[in-house]
């Protein structure tokens, strides 16, 4: 399958980074079927990140949760998700019909994550996703956390077109977020970004910036941004279950001199906010205090 793994944007990003050979090596991990180890991994997870476009084409990322077993392999090329978004989630209406989705199952306690991209259709219990691509990613930049359950009804979402001061402080203190992107054809992807607190800079109420650290050279996210700038971000509050969902556009800054000013950065990414949804207590999972990844580069204090 490796020959057909990358689209034009991913190859363009690999070329700009000088990592075509490493990208070709990483492509060997991509498959269309779930291996047995992946099935075992999925059934243990209480959470999955899902990325998709809403009816207007804006990208969003959301969290789906459930007891272990809610996420499982129905067969070698199909994943069943026994959960739905809440009625106020930006993707709720879109997921009542067929939709391209990107999913990321992540196990912070073991520094493991697995991407699954495909086509979702609604079922009586949630979603059924026919897979196009399945692959694991490296453990870098995942903060170690352990989950527990505190079931409660979600609070009323707060919507805006720009970040408040409290939301900017939330982002500035974050050590993890998730990003949803898509290619030119609308095929979606969900990915993880992590670093020491402060690695994401809330430059203004409508502008974020973060470093792109060394990875597997697949450039799934940045490759999508080469051909389709719409993106969605999700910042979880690991202590309270609140989530901060952003939609907007993103661009990669490939200028080496600017990246050199940020420890560990190989390039920078800027995100322009066009929509904000903050939902208190959106998910019933709570997580322990983090053990920061040893791979995280240091964060330089900002004035």
């Amino acid at each position: 399958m490796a020959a057909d793994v990358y689209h034009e944007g991913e190859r363009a990003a690999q070329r700009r980074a000088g990592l075509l050979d490493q990208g070709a090596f990483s492509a060997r991990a991509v498959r269309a079927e779930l291996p047995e180890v992946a099935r075992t991994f999925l059934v243990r997870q209480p959470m999955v990140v899902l990325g998709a476009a809403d009816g207007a084409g804006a990208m969003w990322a959301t969290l789906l949760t459930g007891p272990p077993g809610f996420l499982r392999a129905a067969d070698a090329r199909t994943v069943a998700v026994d959960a739905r978004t809440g009625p106020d989630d930006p993707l709720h209406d879109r997921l009542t019909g067929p939709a391209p989705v990107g999913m990321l199952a992540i196990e912070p306690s073991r520094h493991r994550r697995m991407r699954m991209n495909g086509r979702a259709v609604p079922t009586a219990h949630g979603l059924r996703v026919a897979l196009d691509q399945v692959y694991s990613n490296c453990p870098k930049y995942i903060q170690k956390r352990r989950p527990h359950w505190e079931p409660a009804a979600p609070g009323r979402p707060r919507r805006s077109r720009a970040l408040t001061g409290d939301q900017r402080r939330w982002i500035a203190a974050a050590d993890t977020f998730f990003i949803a992107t898509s290619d030119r054809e609308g095929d979606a992807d969900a990915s993880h970004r992590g670093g020491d607190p402060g690695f994401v800079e809330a430059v203004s109420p409508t502008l974020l910036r973060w470093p792109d650290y060394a990875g597997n050279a697949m450039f799934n996210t940045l490759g999508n941004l080469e051909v389709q700038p719409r993106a969605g971000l999700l910042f979880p509050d690991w202590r309270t279950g609140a989530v901060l969902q952003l939609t907007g556009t993103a661009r990669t800054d490939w200028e080496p001199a600017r990246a050199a000013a940020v420890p560990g950065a190989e390039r920078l990414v800027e995100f322009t906010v066009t929509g904000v949804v903050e939902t208190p207590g959106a998910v019933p999972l709570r997580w322990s205090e983090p053990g920061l990844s040893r791979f995280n580069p240091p964060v330089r204090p900002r004035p």
Side-chain angles (χ1 to χ4, degrees), residues 98-123:
V101 299
M103 296 192 300
L104 180 75
I106 184 166
E107 189 172 20
S109 64
R110 298 189 181 189
H111 304 287
R112 297 181 66 189
R113 53 184 158 169
M114 187 174 73
R115 285 163 114 129
M116 300 163 287
N117 301 334
R119 304 293 189 274
V121 294
T123 67

Side-chain angles (χ1 to χ4, degrees), residues 27 75 89 100 102-103 105-106 112 124 135 153 158 175 197-198 226 238 242 259:
D75 58 48
D89 190 278
M103 296 192 300
I106 184 166
R112 297 181 66 189
Y135 50 105
R158 296 187 283 269
D175 58 50
E226 288 288 299
W238 303 98

Side-chain angles (χ1 to χ4, degrees), residues 153-177:
R156 185 174 182 177
R158 296 187 283 269
R159 302 175 188 273
S160 65
R161 299 186 64 82
L163 297 163
T164 66
D166 285 344
Q167 290 166 344
R168 291 174 68 185
R169 284 185 284 274
W170 177 343
I171 290 167
D175 58 50
T176 300
F177 72 94

